[in-house]
Amino acid sequence: MPNIANSHEPFADRVTQVRQLDANAMTLLGHIIAEILHNNLPVTNKGIISALIARLDQHSDPIQRDTYRYLLEMVVNKTPDDFSL
């Protein structure tokens, strides 16, 4: 995730950037989960982590890679009972 805290932008703009990153990341996570389900695999932290690492290896765009890292950090720091669906 980009280092937004050191930015000289107004606070409201930084909050908007974080919210946009969160929304984009959640959309991307939804696509990854759909891909896992499409392949008839169980949706587990391990499966999501594997998919995120594979995508990190495949992409060279720094913004896209930051989003994958952000998601990877979110998934690694959560246990199954932390997610409420």
Side-chain angles (χ1 to χ4, degrees), residues 16-70:
T16 301
Q17 287 176 348
V18 170
R19 284 185 180 160
Q20 184 177 15
L21 177 62
D22 283 344
N24 292 341
M26 290 301 106
T27 299
L28 188 57
L29 181 60
H31 290 297
I32 290 170
I33 291 172
E35 184 179 296
I36 292 169
L37 290 171
H38 180 74
N39 291 321
N40 294 320
L41 297 170
V43 178
T44 62
N45 280 4
K46 182 178 178 181
I48 295 170
I49 291 167
S50 294
L52 287 168
I53 290 172
R55 287 181 180 221
L56 269 170
D57 289 341
Q58 295 168 359
H59 292 277
S60 60
D61 176 37
I63 294 171
Q64 192 72 15
R65 290 176 59 89
D66 281 347
T67 304
Y68 291 132
R69 284 188 198 99
Y70 175 70

Side-chain angles (χ1 to χ4, degrees), residues 13-15 26 62 80:
D13 291 343
R14 291 193 304 254
V15 170
M26 290 301 106

